Amino acid sequence: MVTTEARPVTELLSGGIEDASAERRVEPRRPPTWRELGLQSMSATLVESLSQRGSRFFEARCQWPRWHALNERALAVTHHPLLMAESARQLAAVLELRYLKGADDNRLQPVSVSLGVDLKAQPVERGVASDVLVHVTVSDLVVRVGTVAAYRLTAEFFHAGTRFGSCGMTLARPSRPRREAASMPQPGLLRPAPAAVGASAESDVLLARGTQGRLVIAPCDPGHPVLLPGRPALLPALAVMEAGRQATLLYRGALPSAVAGMAVRLDGSVPSRGAAVEVAAEGGASRFLVKAGEEIAAMGTVTLLRP
């Protein structure tokens, strides 16, 4: 990400040259509230703390509930891989609120996300919640007219001293919707069973098939508390990534425990209902395209390995 207005990260982080404004100053050790994280309820909170360890480095602690909305309902739960991306998104919210100078109330949104998980090292929770340590790095900050316009966050996830995954996320201003990006009605939809798309419940299913067999995004719960909080008119990046994961599992007939990596990039506006999803297999990976009308609005990959 290149711009003539980019400045070093040390000029943009609290604890560097100057402090945050009085209105934005927050005790660094106070846990973030669910409202600060932009969540709909306390139950969706994953981040417990974020502390600065250097000019570009932070350490965070997260707690992943066994009964999180995306997790399967089982005695022994392997956490949904999207919890890494959602943790990174929540960490970005805390970062903008407490450390980034020039960040305003119009919070930046993920425009590209990639994550990878070690299938043998990821935590399995049999109790209440998994305690997760996160090493966070901030880079590629872009400032326009004194306001942070974009940056990249990289998060490394550890449980019981073992690294089990990572997530990279680029955040920027959300794109403005095009007229053709409006939600499109889809009559006669046939929804797959939750197990076929790796969903823990029917409310988590994002896909359906039209009368001609075309796979489209049609969330069963248009106000899903994690994927679609606040019933957005446009799908956020994490929901698009989950739609790609579900489409890949359906297309490949694979188990969710085989997902070792995911990535998505938004190239345009994705309507909350009616966008088509196409999947193509390439060895152990699958590529997916999301189309709004005839335009490619997003693309991504899902890597499948034998767990």
Side-chain angles (χ1 to χ4, degrees):
M1 192 176 298
V2 179
T3 175
T4 57
E5 296 177 281
R7 299 206 311 243
V9 66
T10 52
E11 296 183 17
L12 295 160
L13 296 175
S14 297
I17 295 178
E18 57 184 0
D19 294 329
S21 66
E23 292 77 16
R24 296 175 60 81
R25 188 177 295 120
V26 182
E27 281 294 330
R29 296 187 181 277
R30 182 175 66 81
T33 68
W34 57 272
R35 289 186 176 87
E36 289 174 338
L37 297 174
L39 303 175
Q40 297 294 299
S41 68
M42 185 184 299
S43 63
T45 303
L46 299 177
V47 175
E48 291 190 317
S49 68
L50 178 67
S51 303
Q52 191 170 1
R53 293 289 183 256
S55 62
R56 299 184 298 120
F57 305 104
F58 298 80
E59 184 176 277
R61 296 192 179 276
C62 296
Q63 192 172 79
W64 291 357
R66 174 183 165 196
W67 299 114
H68 188 273
L70 294 178
N71 283 341
E72 295 181 358
R73 300 297 185 259
L75 293 178
V77 171
T78 300
H79 294 289
H80 194 295
L82 210 66
L83 264 63
M84 285 197 294
E86 174 59 12
S87 294
R89 189 199 65 78
Q90 292 185 19
L91 287 168
V94 182
L95 186 75
E96 293 175 28
L97 178 69
R98 301 186 178 183
Y99 296 98
L100 282 182
K101 298 196 178 301
D104 55 25
D105 293 334
N106 185 15
R107 188 165 289 163
L108 304 181
Q109 301 295 325
V111 294
S112 71
V113 183
S114 62
L115 63 84
V117 60
D118 184 338
L119 298 180
K120 295 181 180 179
Q122 58 182 330
V124 177
E125 184 55 52
R126 293 177 173 85
V128 177
S130 297
D131 292 320
V132 177
L133 175 68
V134 192
H135 292 168
V136 181
T137 304
V138 179
S139 60
D140 299 336
L141 277 113
V142 178
V143 178
R144 296 192 178 97
V145 197
T147 300
V148 177
Y151 64 97
R152 181 168 178 79
L153 183 150
T154 303
E156 304 276 339
F157 294 85
F158 299 81
H159 175 69
T162 300
R163 179 185 180 278
F164 67 88
S166 64
C167 178
M169 179 177 291
T170 299
L171 296 102
R173 297 294 175 200
S175 56
R176 294 182 179 180
R178 304 185 305 267
R179 287 186 178 181
E180 61 268 26
S183 295
M184 296 168 279
Q186 298 285 329
L189 293 177
L190 298 175
R191 198 175 299 279
V197 295
S200 63
E202 185 176 354
S203 59
D204 299 336
V205 176
L206 297 179
L207 304 176
R209 288 197 182 277
T211 54
Q212 297 181 344
R214 195 179 194 192
L215 199 62
V216 298
I217 296 176
C220 184
D221 180 2
H224 192 284
V226 177
L227 300 171
L228 301 165
R231 295 177 172 260
L234 301 178
L235 284 185
L238 269 59
V240 177
M241 176 182 276
E242 173 62 8
R245 186 191 75 99
Q246 293 186 13
T248 298
L249 295 179
L250 183 64
Y251 179 80
R252 300 287 293 264
L255 296 174
S257 57
V259 175
M262 296 189 289
V264 70
R265 187 187 75 208
L266 300 186
D267 294 322
S269 303
V270 182
S272 60
R273 187 177 181 86
V277 184
E278 300 176 1
V279 179
E282 295 182 358
S286 294
R287 296 186 179 276
F288 64 88
L289 296 178
V290 179
K291 292 185 175 180
E294 297 301 318
E295 298 291 328
I296 296 176
M299 60 180 63
T301 59
V302 178
T303 303
L304 301 174
L305 299 177
R306 189 182 300 277

